[in-house]
Amino acid sequence: MNAHRPRILNHLLILSAGLFLVGHLCRTSARAGEVQLKNGTILTGNMWVMSSLSGPRVGRKEFLTIKDAAPVPHNILVVDRGWQVTFVPIQQVAGNQFNDNVVLKPQAFLIKHQKANQTQIVATVGTVKDVQPFDEFGRRRLTLETQKGPLQVIQGITQIEPDHVVVEGLNCQWKTGISLRAIPFSTIDGLLRKQVKNDDPAGRLGLVRFYRQAGYFPEAFKELNAIAHEFLDQQARCELAREELVDQWGGEVLRELGRRRKAAQHQLAEESAKTLSKQPLGGAVLADVQKFVADYDQSRLTIEKAKNLLIDGQAKLRDSKLVERLQPLRSEINEQLDFETLPRLDAFLKAEGDMQLTTEQHLALAYSGWVVGAVNAVTDLDQAIRYWDARFAMLEYTRADNPQAWQQHLQQLRQVEGVGP
């Protein structure tokens, strides 16, 4: 695949190559501690509600009485990820739905370091200079500019979780967090391997769990296969872990495909979905993948159907001048009709079997909907044509590069009757 494609979609090629065999798939019933905002952002963490940034938590009973109030009180949702706290107005939560009773239990690894000179406290962080990468033991050096001059700091990674690492000063008191993705995978993997004994299947299954929660799916599959091969008495546990792993992997890929589709990257989304559908998946995820692919097939059929309906409708018109007037409009629709523009013809397609509409009225739904959207489509064909005239005048006005042309197109626009903003 293209190097710029999302990492999770590139994993499809690895799986389709047969490196990982997946068993029966069953979807888990809940994704604890996750909330989606109205702008599409997904936040994960421990959650609660506060009435103000400095106020106490809102009790469960109190929240149930205020969440349906009109207007909704200005309360704040707090999402605590352990290393990062996000404050969001609850009005921005999609559907006003979230779970504030769940405490997340991510797979975490603790790393011990020797500390010295803990009397030195870093209260504020100024300019950071000379930041070195973390070494194989999870340590690094950096220089902080302080009021007393440059301060040489030695940091160590003391805790690794699926979305972040905790970093502490080893020669001073300073504790902070860094996104897991900000550190090379090879560094994280090396540190984890030092915490897990190679002959400990339980510990290595914990490593698989960590990879799964962190979204490192190829690494998780690879480690799980190695455990199943090296510890024959762990086959049952490996199969259970495999089901959980495939379930989450399939769900993540589907969500990514949905984002690709919303971003109009239809070829990428469809090709990836077809690759995913060839995996030995089962259960609800496989059904979702098959529906995802089927939706594209159905859209193609609908596009061809719409084009044929326009041809049939135009053939039924008896007014030759009207046919001639509609010809360039139909040509444009034929040329530009695709997955993105198909919704403009919804009103036209839904009215296909409406015998109360004349041919002109049915065509009006198509040509007006193409310009102003299916919701605003009209059954007056003359009005639909005026929409196109107004659209043409506005486009020509924006393309013009001199005042004389502006005035000409503006006058043309003003002559179009029955068309408002």
Side-chain angles (χ1 to χ4, degrees):
M1 280 191 173
N2 188 297
H4 298 287
R5 291 181 179 176
R7 186 173 186 264
I8 196 169
L9 296 185
N10 287 336
H11 296 170
L12 289 173
L13 283 184
I14 300 176
L15 291 171
S16 64
L19 293 179
F20 310 126
L21 298 178
V22 293
H24 178 70
L25 176 65
C26 56
R27 182 185 295 276
T28 53
S29 59
R31 294 159 60 205
E34 181 174 281
V35 62
Q36 181 170 351
L37 306 185
K38 291 180 179 179
N39 64 3
T41 301
I42 296 177
L43 300 176
T44 302
N46 298 320
M47 302 176 190
W48 62 88
V49 175
M50 298 174 65
S51 57
S52 65
L53 290 177
S54 58
R57 295 190 183 189
V58 175
R60 184 66 181 172
K61 292 184 179 179
E62 181 184 357
F63 176 73
L64 291 176
T65 62
I66 65 176
K67 73 172 186 176
D68 295 325
V72 178
H74 289 275
N75 287 284
I76 301 168
L77 174 66
V78 183
V79 183
D80 185 356
R81 301 176 63 187
W83 67 286
Q84 183 184 70
V85 180
T86 305
F87 298 84
V88 182
I90 61 174
Q91 295 94 323
Q92 297 303 318
V93 176
N96 201 24
Q97 298 294 321
F98 60 90
N99 192 340
D100 61 337
N101 286 329
V102 175
V103 177
L104 300 181
K105 296 181 179 179
Q107 182 73 24
F109 291 84
L110 301 179
I111 301 176
K112 295 182 179 180
H113 296 276
Q114 288 187 346
K115 298 181 180 180
N117 191 25
Q118 293 296 296
T119 58
Q120 177 79 34
I121 301 176
V122 178
T124 59
V125 179
T127 303
V128 180
K129 296 182 177 180
D130 303 325
V131 181
Q132 298 180 1
F134 288 102
D135 62 20
E136 60 180 317
F137 302 104
R139 296 190 293 259
R140 73 176 181 182
R141 293 178 180 270
L142 55 84
T143 302
L144 292 179
E145 289 293 339
T146 69
Q147 294 179 347
K148 298 181 180 180
L151 173 64
Q152 301 292 327
V153 176
I154 301 176
Q155 286 184 317
I157 296 175
T158 58
Q159 185 169 324
I160 302 177
E161 294 197 17
D163 64 342
H164 74 283
V165 299
V166 177
V167 180
E168 297 185 44
L170 303 183
N171 63 341
C172 62
Q173 288 191 38
W174 182 23
K175 186 175 182 179
T176 186
I178 300 176
S179 170
L180 183 74
R181 300 289 178 173
I183 302 175
F185 173 78
S186 58
T187 300
I188 295 297
D189 186 61
L191 290 173
L192 295 179
R193 296 289 178 181
K194 287 183 172 64
Q195 308 304 312
V196 178
K197 294 181 179 180
N198 200 46
D199 60 353
D200 178 12
R204 291 179 63 178
L205 284 171
L207 192 59
V208 172
R209 223 165 17 248
F210 174 86
Y211 288 148
R212 174 173 62 83
Q213 293 177 359
Y216 292 121
F217 294 106
E219 293 80 4
F221 276 112
K222 183 177 181 180
E223 181 64 19
L224 188 58
N225 287 343
I227 296 172
H229 178 72
E230 297 173 23
F231 303 94
L232 298 181
D233 60 335
Q234 298 295 317
Q235 294 293 327
R237 295 180 65 183
C238 287
E239 283 305 311
L240 289 175
R242 190 183 304 280
E243 289 182 7
E244 293 181 358
L245 180 56
V246 175
D247 182 32
Q248 183 175 343
W249 171 77
E252 289 295 328
V253 173
L254 277 176
R255 281 189 286 275
E256 180 63 35
L257 294 180
R259 287 190 286 268
R260 296 302 108 192
R261 180 163 59 184
K262 287 183 179 180
Q265 297 178 359
H266 298 290
Q267 182 177 357
L268 170 62
E270 185 179 15
E271 289 178 355
S272 299
K274 287 181 178 179
T275 303
L276 180 60
S277 67
K278 297 176 183 178
Q279 303 305 316
L281 303 176
V285 171
L286 179 59
D288 288 344
V289 174
Q290 292 173 339
K291 184 179 182 303
F292 193 95
V293 175
D295 286 345
Y296 275 108
D297 293 335
Q298 182 59 48
S299 293
R300 286 193 181 86
L301 294 175
T302 305
I303 288 172
E304 292 305 314
K305 177 181 178 180
K307 292 179 178 179
N308 290 331
L309 287 175
L310 288 174
I311 294 174
D312 294 342
Q314 185 169 313
K316 295 177 182 179
L317 296 177
R318 298 178 179 275
D319 187 340
S320 59
K321 291 185 178 180
L322 183 57
V323 172
E324 183 178 354
R325 181 67 182 87
L326 293 178
Q327 184 58 41
L329 280 56
R330 186 171 67 85
S331 297
E332 178 175 324
I333 292 179
N334 281 340
E335 181 180 345
Q336 298 183 11
L337 188 57
D338 55 22
F339 298 128
E340 284 297 299
T341 57
L342 183 58
R344 301 185 194 179
L345 301 183
D346 278 350
F348 169 68
L349 292 168
K350 290 178 180 178
E352 177 192 1
D354 192 341
M355 304 304 295
Q356 295 181 352
L357 293 178
T358 66
T359 299
E360 289 80 0
Q361 290 174 327
H362 190 214
L363 289 175
L365 291 174
Y367 290 115
S368 62
W370 185 262
V371 178
V372 297
V375 175
N376 299 309
V378 298
T379 55
D380 185 338
L381 188 54
D382 290 335
Q383 178 69 22
I385 293 175
R386 287 195 292 271
Y387 282 149
W388 282 75
D389 291 339
R391 172 175 175 263
F392 176 79
M394 285 189 289
L395 289 174
E396 290 301 304
Y397 180 91
T398 58
R399 292 165 180 160
D401 57 1
N402 64 82
Q404 183 178 359
W406 292 338
Q407 290 301 321
Q408 178 182 348
H409 295 304
L410 184 58
Q411 184 63 26
Q412 182 182 357
L413 180 60
R414 287 172 173 165
Q415 291 175 354
V416 179
E417 298 179 357
V419 178

